[in-house]
Amino acid sequence: MNTVYICDLDGTLLGDNAILSSFSMKVLHELLHQGLQFTVASARSVVSMQVMLKGLNLRLPVIEFNGAFISDLDSGKHEIINSICPDVVESIYKLILEFGCVPFVSSFNGTEDCAYYKDVINDGMRWYLNDRLINKDRRWQAISDLTHSFGDQVVCLTVIGHAQQLLELQGAIIERHETTVETHLIENQYSPGWYWLTGSIPLWRKHQIASVPLR
C-alpha cells in the first residue's frame, strides 16, 4: 500500500504571508510528477486553496473546513459534505447571539458554496471579510437574516472576537453539544489579537478520505 501524505496549510506548507514559496511549488511539482500521493487539509475553503495551490496537480481530493468538505481542487466539486444538523445550527446560533457575537455561516446550497454575513461588529470580522472580498471570493453574500441560510447544508459557523469571550462561548457550546459539534479556537496569525471560534461536525462522524476515488 502506498503512503499518503496530508499536510496542513497555514503555518506549515505556507509561509508567513500565506503564500506557497516558489521552492516548495517546484519540489512538490516534481514529487507529484513522480507519483507522490499528497494532499492538504485545512480550515480554509477550496476557493482559497485554488488560489494558493494554483498549478499543483493534486490527484487526491483536498480536505477543507476541517473535514466538512472533501473536494476536488481543480473543479471545487464536493465529493463528501458533512453538514451540521439544522436543529443544532439553530441552537448554536442562539448561543452565539446570547454572548453578544455574530457568526459567519458557511454552507452548500445544493448548487454552490455560500458564505453569509450580516453585521460586522469588530475589526477581526472586518479584516476577514475584506480579505475575502479583495480576493474576489465568490461565496460571500450579505443577508438580512442569517437564519434564512439555515435551509442550506450548513457546514461551519465562524465567530471572530477576543479570546476570553470566545472561550466562554466555546464552553457553552461544548456543554450543550459536546457529541454533535467539534469546536476549534485559534488566533488569526494574519490579524493578531483576534481569535476565531469555529463549529463543525466532529471528526469521528466524518467520512474517511479513503472512500473517495483518485481522479
Side-chain angles (χ1 to χ4, degrees), residues 54-197:
K54 185 176 181 180
L56 282 183
N57 181 28
L58 297 186
R59 297 177 61 241
L60 283 172
V62 297
I63 303 168
E64 52 171 324
F65 279 112
N66 294 318
F69 290 129
I70 309 296
S71 310
D72 178 78
L73 179 64
D74 288 343
S75 67
K77 178 184 177 183
H78 304 309
E79 305 290 350
I80 294 173
I81 300 174
N82 295 301
S83 59
I84 308 171
C85 173
D87 290 343
V88 175
V89 173
E90 291 185 17
S91 176
I92 294 175
Y93 177 65
K94 290 177 182 178
L95 276 176
I96 291 171
L97 295 184
E98 288 175 14
F99 278 79
C101 301
V102 181
F104 295 116
V105 181
S106 301
S107 70
F108 181 70
N109 67 7
T111 303
E112 61 184 357
D113 292 348
C114 301
Y116 298 101
Y117 66 96
K118 183 178 181 292
D119 300 316
V120 178
I121 62 174
N122 60 50
D123 289 340
M125 294 181 70
R126 194 166 295 109
W127 179 93
Y128 181 39
L129 180 60
N130 288 342
D131 177 73
R132 293 295 83 216
L133 296 180
I134 289 172
N135 283 281
K136 302 185 187 307
D137 191 328
R138 60 184 180 273
R139 297 171 301 145
W140 288 83
Q141 303 178 40
I143 189 172
S144 61
D145 186 342
L146 284 174
T147 63
H148 293 167
S149 68
F150 297 170
D152 293 2
Q153 291 178 270
V154 176
V155 297
C156 186
L157 297 171
T158 302
V159 184
I160 299 176
H162 292 297
Q164 187 57 42
Q165 179 186 33
L166 297 190
L167 273 171
E168 294 174 3
L169 173 57
Q170 183 182 39
I173 293 173
I174 291 172
E175 182 178 359
R176 186 175 298 183
H177 298 289
E178 182 175 11
T179 61
T180 54
V181 172
E182 179 179 272
T183 62
H184 296 272
L185 179 59
I186 59 171
E187 184 177 17
N188 179 3
Q189 66 187 80
Y190 308 114
S191 181
W194 293 103
Y195 287 74
W196 292 26
L197 175 63

